Amino acid sequence: VGRPLNSERDVISAASDLQELGAVWLAISNGKEPLIVVGPDEAFRVDIPSVAKNVNPIGCGDSLTAGIAAAISEQREVPEAIRWGVACATQNLEAVLPARLDRTLVLEMAENISVTGLKR
């Protein structure tokens, strides 16, 4: 977007600019910081679970996207889909080999991930 994004408000504003170019939903990740998700009429902050050991970040973004896509394919609402994605990325971070996820563990972790509504 060509400008610094120093706050949640800045991120939401930048996401709105991208929506004007055609994007519908945006998920903005920043490592272990909360994920910001911006949709057509709503925005969320999604807390990232703590990990015992950061083993391998390779594939975390792909795992995040795959978890979101899997939940949406099962007709889940966006906040739940985002929790699934974050749980997949977190489980991936804790493993040596990327994208070797345990669905049961992902679903258990997803239930405990906090999603907070933000002002648009």
Side-chain angles (χ1 to χ4, degrees):
V1 292
R3 64 182 183 271
L5 304 177
N6 298 316
S7 68
E8 285 180 350
R9 177 74 11 231
D10 292 345
V11 172
I12 292 169
S13 175
S16 295
D17 292 348
L18 293 172
Q19 287 172 321
E20 289 177 14
L21 297 173
V24 179
W25 282 94
L26 295 103
I28 301 95
S29 64
N30 187 18
K32 65 181 181 178
E33 298 301 316
L35 187 79
I36 304 298
V37 179
V38 180
D41 301 313
E42 53 199 338
F44 307 98
R45 176 190 317 109
V46 183
D47 291 330
I48 305 300
S50 298
V51 294
K53 189 172 182 184
N54 181 338
V55 176
N56 185 2
I58 295 171
C60 286
D62 293 335
S63 295
L64 172 72
T65 303
I68 293 169
I72 288 172
S73 76
E74 293 185 13
Q75 308 302 311
R76 307 293 176 162
E77 295 294 323
V78 170
E80 185 176 5
I82 299 299
R83 284 196 289 273
W84 280 30
V86 169
C88 288
T90 302
Q91 192 178 116
N92 182 81
L93 182 63
E94 296 177 307
V96 172
L97 298 175
R100 306 302 199 275
L101 308 176
D102 180 314
R103 181 182 174 92
T104 302
L105 294 176
V106 165
L107 296 178
E108 288 174 9
M109 183 183 293
E111 287 183 21
N112 296 309
I113 293 173
S114 173
V115 176
T116 305
L118 299 171
K119 283 190 169 189
R120 283 279 329 235

